Amino acid sequence: MATAPATAAPAPDQAAVADWTGPLSTRGRYIVDANGNRFKLKAGNWHGASGTWNGSGDVDDPANHHAGELAHQTPLGLDRAPLERIIDGFAELGLNSVRLPFSNAMVHDPRPVPDLPANPDLRGLTPLQVYDRVVERLTARGFAVVLNNHTTTSRWCCGVDGNERWNTAQTERQWQDDWVFMARRYAANKRVVGADLYNEVRRNVTDDPNWGWGDDHDWQRASQQAGDRILTEANPDLLVVVEGINWTGLPVDGFPHGRPTLEPVRTLSHTLVTSGKLVYSAHFYGYTGPNHSGATGIGETSDPRYQDLTPQQLRDVVHRQALYVSAETGKHFTAPVWISEFGVGGRGNGDARARDWFERFVDILVEADADFAYWPVVGHHANGVGDGWSLLAWDAAGNRIGVDDGADWRGPAWRRLVGAAGRTGQVPQAERWSMLNLDHADFQASRAVRAMPDWNPGARKGVCPDGQRLAGLADVGGRGLCTGSAAAPQGYVTVRDESYVDTDWATGYTKVQCPRDHYVVGYSVNGAAFSAALCARSAVPLGSGGRTVWFDRGDNRPAGDPGGEFAPNRYKGQCAANEHVAGIAYTGRIFSDRSPDALYCRAG
């Protein structure tokens, strides 16, 4: 591991500092700054530190790098233009943030980078130290920086290249440890705002990633655990950015295949140990599709590409695969959605379908008031020819061309996007809903409870995030729903029996009830059987009346689906918005699995 000192908080550059205060957090579907003002990510991807090598041939030969762009594991273009001039270009584009990819190999590489002629002050630095310098100058100039673990090895993404999963070319522990290292490295800099955990998780030759199976291919589990480690061990201020699954299955007609993207989030979302830090992300390119890999020739199927869809079909599929997460408020999955990659070729692009797709996709982003990051923002050119996807490109002599210079058809669409009106100013606190998932292991989302001794050894335990209370429970499987924003409890008590039952609210059933002025924040199971409740003592008096909510023979939840579907294909009970769970009942009758059958809901 590199051991260079952590980057200190940068001195403000008074000529360019933006009008926002870090750190960032979330309120409902919006990202906000430290003052509660909406901060819309208008970002560009500045790639290069994640690797540009295509994977064969001499790594020092530009011909063996994507589009001939040899970056030496540093943000692209530093050999051609001074760092400050590149950042000037970002400001001219209207960006306020940068997604800054890195590879794990870059983090560990101790070799100094070759001379970068346009930036002689970077001579002798390792790739990570150059990355440090770029972060320092971006944030000093007012830009928010999102760290992006783009690849494991420093190779161009995204085929069958050893970078398909977070643990394909390294152990999961190594991946997590690198994230803790990177998050700590910039912890003093409040304009380093996010940790984008891994890029385009996808199938390798033989195996698919999954969402919720509990194994070592489970991206939902791995991202949940990595996010919690970052927030508890390294930097509690960071946004944790989780991208959906980019591809599963074999891209062959007749075989299952496609892009799950964020669709699984609807029924299995993340509950981080720090609320208000989760952002979901997704990628869209016109040449790919909901069931199209983007390949031509080998790997190409008869499925439509996004650019083949009608305007309404495109809107529908982008909503289904991603934007519903922010559009549908008041659910356990509601969060900001960052379209952290999209792009298209500019100069010389005569593909009418690709051009039409880009115009229509920009319209979708504008209508949704969506956070975005264009791919890529920096490229190379020679006499105007090169990687035509970039918004800015420099030639070997340092001459720049850009999306706004009049020769690029994307200019009007880009200005329409970056200048679009959207929500600004103060964003009120939104009601938070959170899922608990005991499908495979403990799920204790409370910092306070994690610091306590084990409150029910041997059982799988779920606990709501600090400040929230249990609102709903499923009959089998250990799924739960939390909500609320209460003051810190004045203590906790574990209840396993009927010691505190003060009325027979479930005749013939075993009732586990909290003491007076306590509410349920956690529960535990042994197999399917209910085991115990964790009750928190309220900082204010609670109501004494109550009602029984049965869910042994069907769903019993408030109208309007508050909180959303948290346990598909299971019966569920849920208290009303102005109630708390004060007790849980089950039966030990023959043929019963002792799973929960009823909730006792009390006012307050």
Side-chain angles (χ1 to χ4, degrees), residues 1 21 104 108 110 178 259 266 283 349 408 434 452 562 574:
M1 181 69 70
T21 304
N104 299 90
H108 293 274
D178 279 356
R259 298 183 191 282
R266 181 176 292 278
H283 296 175
N349 185 353
D408 194 318
S434 304
M452 293 166 39
Q574 186 174 328

Side-chain angles (χ1 to χ4, degrees), residues 358-359 362-363 366 409-419:
F358 185 74
E359 296 277 1
V362 164
D363 288 343
V366 170
W409 65 268
R410 298 169 301 173
W414 174 254
R415 283 297 154 193
R416 188 167 76 252
L417 174 61
V418 80

